[in-house]
Amino acid sequence: MRFDVIVIGAGPIGLCCAIEAKKNNLSYLIIDKGCLVNSLYNYPKNMTFFSTSDKLEIGEIPFISHNAKPTKSEALEYYRRVASSWELNMNLYEEVIDIKKGDEFEVKTNKSNYFARKIILSTGFYDLPYKLNVEGEDLPKVKHYYDEPHPYFGMNVAVVGAANSAVDVALETYRKGAQEVTMIVREPSISESVKYWVKPDVENRIKEGSIKSYFNSNITKITEDSIHVKTPDGEITIDNDFVLAMTGYQPDFSFLKKIGIKIGDDEHNTPVHNDETMMTNVEGIYLAGVICGGLKTNKWFIENSRDHAEIIVSDILKK
Ligand SMILES: Cc1cc2nc3c(=O)[nH]c(=O)nc-3n(C[C@H](O)[C@H](O)[C@H](O)COP(=O)(O)OP(=O)(O)OC[C@H]3O[C@@H](n4cnc5c(N)ncnc54)[C@H](O)[C@@H]3O)c2cc1C
């Protein structure tokens, strides 16, 4: 129950940190509240990564995929292989509830207590969706995660948002037989950040009317069979069976604050940490992976945050 390092989060970057700790003979434990690479497991079934497989490699294990950009199932297979090849020590389906700092850290989970000299937090941002905060959002027809298009065949679907996830969902449900797909977009246009090979596709489907769209518009109310939308031309009501709210996700700031990590007052609420060591304002707690960007969830990816593992473990060894 005592370790040099406890890594919280068995995402790609948490695994990378554990491998680095193992390579340097530090005792370690990974704890994740879900399955191995839980966030990836919850991505849409038919998704393809925008990174090529070599950019997703960790622990010097080659990632070979059928095409240059791997699918979700290839990525799951790959990270399973990484975890078993390195024989990583991990407790899955165990949630970290609190961390108390004394002479060493006491990590409380929903199952047990552990002690560690250092903590690496690689908890990502995929657990907390941005809410629409409108009446009817609690209805079962409102989804903040999308899996596959089949349930929406023959249905009137509203997709909220205009970034990559929303665009992928609108195109896929349209192509797989949804009766009507309507995009409700707060901004005046499809996001500039949408993958350059996908953006013209959605824009042309909107132009030809295959996918309906309301820009500069917001849902104001959801009922069993309709949505109310505030548009620049006034409030309208649309027949609706499902609302797919692809409005993005955010890190669990309340957990960070609870364990003493300060949240920056910059526009992205970046959790306070030293870029050169990745250590937070709490001596001995490090951040790794996408959580480092706060609300700027497109700053860090797997491919550019793999390096965090080496930076952190070399700082731990120095200290
Ligand atoms: C649809 C989609 C497509 C993407 N495509 C790409 C791509 O092509 N290339 C790329 O580089 N990046 C891509 N990304 C971003 C990529 O998913 C993230 O970069 C990656 O998952 C980040 O890894 P991570 O280890 O930092 O966090 P995550 O993978 O999110 O891992 C965090 C882990 O922490 C666990 N956790 C959280 N809180 C607790 C707690 N209290 N106790 C225990 N465990 C906890 C979670 O269960 C989770 O397993 C994509 C993201 C999305 C949403």
Side-chain angles (χ1 to χ4, degrees), residues 9 12-13 32-33 38-39 43 49-51 96 122 290 301-302:
I13 307 306
D32 198 294
K33 66 179 176 184
N38 193 33
S39 301
Y43 290 169
F49 281 79
F50 58 76
S51 303
V96 174
S122 48
V290 296
F301 303 107
I302 299 168

Side-chain angles (χ1 to χ4, degrees), residues 181-185 190 206-207 209 211-215 217:
V181 177
T182 307
M183 294 186 77
I184 313 290
V185 182
I190 293 295
I206 289 174
K207 216 182 281 173
I211 293 178
K212 295 210 160 44
S213 61
Y214 292 93
F215 289 97
S217 300

Side-chain angles (χ1 to χ4, degrees), residues 45-99:
K45 193 171 169 184
N46 301 321
M47 79 160 278
T48 299
F49 281 79
F50 58 76
S51 303
T52 51
S53 48
D54 55 311
K55 302 284 187 204
L56 304 178
E57 284 174 1
I58 57 172
E60 292 114 45
I61 308 246
F63 185 174
I64 313 293
S65 54
H66 281 90
N67 295 306
K69 296 178 180 186
T71 61
K72 167 179 160 176
S73 64
E74 286 174 322
L76 294 180
E77 167 101 48
Y78 172 73
Y79 291 113
R80 286 196 297 270
R81 199 151 49 81
V82 169
S84 45
S85 303
W86 280 92
E87 297 178 343
L88 293 178
N89 183 29
M90 62 177 88
N91 289 2
L92 300 174
Y93 299 101
E94 182 164 352
E95 182 169 3
V96 174
I97 309 289
D98 202 1
I99 302 173

